[in-house]
Each structure stands twice: as C-alpha cells, then as structure tokens.
C-alpha cells in the first residue's frame, strides 16, 4: 500500500510537465466524479428518508412496543417486531458459529498448508460460491437440504434428546419438517463462508512472511505459528471480515424466506419455524396495505439500523488496524 | 412506493414508444392467481388481433395501488373491493375467471380423505391435533388414520388464496371467525409457512402427516392428493370443473356491488365450497377512454374465445349469463367525458 501511494505521488508531481488536456477538462472530470460520489450518498439518504417516512405511522401507533411486542396480526392491525428481530439475530448468530470456524479453516489452509497446485482450484470454488444467487440457495435448501436434514438430523436427534432437560427443548423437533431457524442458519453459513474466507485469506497473505519464517525458525509447529503468530497479527482484521459476513447474514432475504418456516412464534427449539425481518418483508410486502405497509417499513428501519451498526463497527475495526 | 410507480410508468412509456402505433397495447397489473390464464389469453389474443396485453402479476394490493395511481389500464384483485371503495375511487369491478382452493395432505395410507369445514378449521386452529381424532374419523369410516400429530402448512406470503381459504373457514367455524379471521395473511396459531403455492406444496410433500391448501390448478398439475370437502348441503364433493361451476351457478352475483360476492360455502348439492372469482378494476370515467376500451375489448374477446384455454389451465370460466351481465355493466357504467359508453359490441 505504502509503496503504491508513493509511486502515485511521484507521478502526479511529474504531471504538469506532461499535461496534454486543457484544464477545463480536468475540472469537468473532477465535478463528474464528485457527482458520482454524491449520487450514492443521495440515494442512501433517500432510502433512509423514505423508510423512516414510511415507518413513522407504525412507530407512532405502537411506540416502543413495536420492538418488544410479538403480536403480528394483520386483521386487527396489531404489529410487533420482536419475533422477527429474535429470528434475525438468532439465524445470523448460528451462521457465524458455523461459518466463521470453517472460513478461518479455509483461509489458513489456503495460505499456509495448501500445496501450490491445489491453491487455485480451491480458491476459485470458494469465489464461485459467492456468485450463486440467493434464490438458488433457497430452492436447494427447501427441496434438497431440508428433507435430508429432517431425516438424518432432526428425527434422530429429537428421538435421543426427547425428555431431557434443556437440550430436550432446544434440539427437539415437534414437527421434523427440515425447515426452521437452524436450517436457515446453516444455509446462511454456507452463504457467508466465501466472503469471510476470501477476506481472511487476503489478510493472512498480507502478513510479512519474515514473521512466519522466524517462528518456524525457532522450531514452532504449524499450529503454534497459526495460533501465536498469524491469528494475533490478523485478529482485528478478521473480526472486520466476520462483521461483513454478519451484515450479509442479517439482511439475506430470499434464501431465508424459503427455509425459515415463516411462523410468527417464539420457540425454545432451534428446529422450530420462525421468521426474520427480511423474510417477513419479502412475504408480506406484495399484498400489504395501510398500517401493515407502515409496519413493514418500520421493520425495514430496524433492520437497516442493525446492519448499519454492524458495518460501521467493521469499518472502525479494519481502519484501526490500518492505522496501527 | 411512489418512486417505484414512476419508474414503472417511465418503463411503460419507453415500451410504448418502441412499439408500432398500429397495434394497441394495454397494460394491467395485480393478482398473481389468474396470471397464467391472463397470459395465455393475451398470447392467443395477440396472435389473432395483433394487439398486445401486458400483465404484471405483482399481487392484488399492488394492482389496486397501480390502478389508483393510473399507471395501468386495468387492475386485478382476488379479494373484491367493497362498494364504498369502488364509489370513492370511481372504479367498475367485474369478475374475469374463477378458481378453486383445495386442501392437500400427506398422510401415509389414508387414501381419499373426507373433511368437513369445521374439522378443517379446527385443524388449522390447532384444536384437532392428531389424525386419529374422532371428529376426523367420523367422516372417514373404514380408513385407518395414524396416531400422529398434524402439521398444518399455510401460505406465508400475503395472497388471495389465503384470503379465500380463511374466508371459507370463517363462514363454517365460529371459532375461526373470532380467532384468526379472514384476510390475505392472518395470525396462524399453529403450523408452518411456505412461500407461494410451490412452498406449501414442497412442505406438504416433505412433512409426513401434514395438511395444507393450494390453488386447485397447482395441486392437480403436480398430482398432490386433495381432500373431499363437505359443502353447505352436507354432501362430500371433489374439486373439479363441475363442482366449481355448480358453486358459481347458484350465486346471486347482483347481491354485492361490483359483483363482489364470495363463492365460498355456496348452496347446491354439487357446489365445491372453496370457489372464488378473481376481479378486474377499471376506472368509471377513464382519462384515456381508448385504452380502457381496448382492455374491455380484450376481456370481451376472452369471454368469447377463452373458455377452453381456462379449462385447460384448470380455471373455471364464468357462466354465460354472468358474462352478459358483465357486458351490460360495461355499456351502462363505463363512459367517456361526454357520457358515451367507451366500449360497445
């Protein structure tokens, strides 16, 4: 990075001597790129404004209760976001618990252990996963993964844990349909792995190899190098990568709508159906009128707030590392 | 939303500029349920007349919003608008085609199930939770039903299908009426939600001992077993063209403004209890009378030539007496600024 920007400085210092375009073009160019940048900002502000404006009637009607109430009754125009908020957070959390260790494993394997001939195929496959449209994950999740998950996980696990304290609730499927909060979390994990893995790989690649070589030089095992040298070096940046993955998991809509079960109920079991903010909006927006539309907009505001917070935290963490 | 409708309007404007001036292009938007048949009619109509009908299946409430914003020539909705809304917005409403909703199930060894409306409501309400419940057994003598929990499966997306189904449940069950009630999405006390007909069908196929509801056409084309239901006259009937038509035959279409009656739970020995028409909305005094005239021309053509196509796609054509009533409504109610009917035969 440093080397690159120094090079730029040198060439821009040389620039006046070689200038062949008139200065007015320069100004036009500057203005048009400023315009492009501002456009993004205006669109963002417009979206926020439209969502707040659309959601305001719902916030005004229900106040703080909109967040804490778990009623969602279209016929009586009573809306509360709690079930959807819990569903969003729990599916995203499951995705992280499953996805982060796998992503780190992929990144460490690719940068430290992988034989050179295997590096490119594995890396390409991971990147291809990121390019699969989310509707495909949803269809695959519902038609292929869910039946397998029901037969080989939900039913056997439920039979084992039935009647046990705590796990008997968390891992008991009253109706082993294969869809539910856990299934949504697993699908989300598969979806965020490529993001976290490829960023983590870049981060690990950037660590000067002299560090790694010195550690091996004093007789460290691969595990010790990874655990005591690489991960501490990359730590905060990796948290940034995880946050980006979390951002995606929170907002994912189509895939989750297919596999989350779409029930407006809170349940102690991970196998039970639930709903997320994004899936609720995807389900109901088409046919929503009046206060229901406002409530969906308000849900959108809440999701925006949560995702925005996560992304800002990620930026801050990554920025801190760059400064350090 | 407004921005979206502007965008769509702009898109349409561009589209209409690029087509030739000789062929008339009309646009409609709304209900997803009749989309396959409207598309089929549009295709055949285009072949015969060269005129195009572009239908966007964006959902009933989207269709109502679009016709209110005047970005389309006609709107389409599954749930009829009420008389006062039609009055307020200055719309004329008429039915275009009908369809049925059926209860599909996945119960090992059950064969052909028979259900009463009340039992169906109790299942979706969670009051009947086992397949071997005596209330189910009563109507299914000779069938051994398993001692297994029932998993009801419903549409998670707001839909006209749900609206029709819950309207029926409200008519046959007091408990349903005072509980979840009728609407395009309701608060389901039990069960799981699938997105769209395909989502419900997939869940029913995958989950043993489940029961769901889908459009008849979807169940038939995917050969999912469906239950016989008891109608208002106490007879058990199967969903088929004959029983849908029987439901429409006995209906008093003039009893509600804009033909906005519900065909659920109609009397008649052969009537299928969950039958529903789907509706078209056009402005009473259109700003662009020639466009509305073209839209009516399209539906008039479809009424004349489209019955066979409708039956092929498992929809139910309107009875011919009703078609004539609808045509009379067009002539007497849809007028241009100088008071002349915009469309005449």
């Amino acid at each position: 990075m440093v080397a690159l920007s120094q090079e730029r400085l040198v060439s821009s210092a040389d620039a006046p001597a070689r200038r062949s375009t008139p200065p007015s073009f320069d100004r036009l160019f500057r203005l048009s790129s400023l315009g492009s940048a501002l456009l993004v900002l205006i669109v963002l502000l417009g979206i926020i404004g439209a969502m707040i404006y659309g959601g305001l009637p719902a916030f005004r009607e229900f106040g703080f209760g909109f967040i804490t109430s778990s009623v969602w009754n279209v016929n009586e125009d009573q809306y509360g976001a709690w079930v959807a908020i819990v569903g969003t957070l729990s599916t995203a959390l499951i995705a992280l618990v499953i996805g982060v260790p796998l992503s780190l494993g992929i990144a460490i394997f690719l940068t430290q252990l992988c034989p050179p001939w295997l590096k490119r195929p594995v890396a390409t496959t991971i990147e291809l996963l990121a390019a699969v449209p989310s509707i495909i994950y949803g269809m695959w999740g519902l038609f292929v993964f869910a039946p397998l998950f029901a037969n080989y996980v939900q039913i056997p696990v439920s039979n084992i844990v039935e009647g046990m304290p705590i796990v008997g609730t968390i891992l008991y499927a009253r109706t082993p349909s294969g869809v539910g909060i856990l299934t949504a979390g697993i699908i989300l994990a598969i979806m965020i792995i490529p993001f976290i893995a490829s960023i983590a790989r870049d981060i690990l690649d950037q660590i000067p190899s002299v560090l790694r070589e010195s550690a091996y030089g004093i007789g460290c095992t691969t595990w010790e190098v990874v655990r005591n040298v690489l991960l501490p070096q990359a730590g905060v940046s990796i948290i940034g990568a995880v946050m980006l993955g979390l951002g995606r998991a929170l907002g994912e809509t189509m895939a989750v709508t297919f596999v989350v079960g779409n029930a407006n109920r809170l349940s102690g079991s991970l196998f039970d159906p639930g709903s997320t903010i994004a899936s609720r909006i995807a389900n109901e927006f088409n046919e929503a009128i009046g206060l229901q539309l406002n409530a969906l907009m308000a849900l959108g505001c809440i999701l925006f707030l949560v995702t925005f917070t996560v992304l800002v935290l990620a930026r801050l963490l990554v920025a801190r590392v760059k400064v350090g | 939303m407004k921005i979206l409708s502007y965008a769509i309007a702009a898109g349409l404007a561009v589209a209409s500029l690029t087509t030739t001036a000789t062929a008339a292009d009309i646009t409609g938007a709304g209900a997803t349920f009749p989309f396959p048949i409207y598309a089929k009619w549009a295709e055949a109509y285009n072949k015969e007349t060269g005129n195009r009908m572009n239908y966007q299946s964006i959902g009933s409430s989207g269709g109502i919003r679009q016709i209110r914003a005047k970005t389309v020539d006609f709107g389409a909705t599954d749930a009829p608008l009420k008389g006062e809304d039609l009055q307020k917005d200055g719309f004329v409403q008429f039915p275009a085609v009908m369809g049925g909703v059926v209860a599909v199930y996945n119960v090992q060894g059950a064969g052909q199930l028979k259900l009463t409306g009340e039992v169906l409501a109790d299942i979706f309400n969670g009051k009947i939770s086992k397949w071997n419940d005596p209330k189910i057994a009563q109507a299914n003598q000779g069938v051994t039903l398993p001692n297994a929990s029932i998993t009801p499966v419903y549409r998670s997306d707001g839909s006209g299908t749900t609206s029709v189904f819950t309207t029926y449940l409200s008519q046959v069950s007091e408990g349903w009426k005072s509980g979840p009630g009728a609407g395009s999405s309701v608060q389901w006390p039990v069960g799981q939600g699938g997105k769209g007909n395909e989502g419900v069908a997939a869940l029913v196929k995958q989950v043993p001992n489940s029961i769901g509801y889908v459009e008849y056409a979807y169940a038939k084309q995917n050969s999912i077993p469906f239950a016989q239901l008891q109608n208002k006259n106490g007879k058990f009937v199967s969903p088929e063209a004959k029983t849908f038509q029987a439901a429409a035959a006995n209906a008093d279409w003039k009893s509600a403004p804009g033909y906005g009656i519900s065909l659920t739970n109609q009397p008649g020995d052969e009537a299928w209890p969950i039958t529903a028409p789907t509706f078209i909305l056009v402005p009473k005094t259109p700003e662009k009378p020639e466009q509305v005239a073209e839209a009516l021309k399209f539906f008039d053509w479809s009424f004349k030539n489209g019955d066979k196509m409708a039956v092929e796609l498992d929809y139910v054509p309107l009875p011919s007496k009703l078609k004539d009533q609808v045509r009379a409504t067009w002539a007497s109610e849809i007028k241009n600024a100088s008071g002349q009917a915009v469309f005449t035969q």
Side-chain angles (χ1 to χ4, degrees), chain B residues 146-170:
Chain B
N147 176 20
S149 300
I150 305 175
T151 305
V153 180
Y154 50 84
R155 281 280 291 268
S156 61
D157 50 332
S159 78
T161 312
T162 300
S163 174
V164 170
F165 186 69
T166 51
T167 302
Y168 169 66
L169 295 186
S170 300

Side-chain angles (χ1 to χ4, degrees), chain B residues 16 27 30 55 108 120 219 222 253-254 285 297 336 342 345:
Chain B
S16 61
T27 9
Y55 184 73
Q108 199 87 53
L120 196 61
N222 291 280
W253 290 90
K254 284 287 186 190
T285 320
K297 205 169 122 195
N336 62 15
V342 302
Q345 303 283 311

Side-chain angles (χ1 to χ4, degrees), chain A residues 53 74 86 100 105 118 128 152 180 193 202 209 226 229 246 257 276 298:
Chain A
Y53 177 75
V74 180
V86 171
V100 169
L118 192 61
L128 279 178
Y152 297 105
I193 280 173
D202 289 347
S209 47
V226 170
V229 179
L246 177 61
T257 308
T276 72

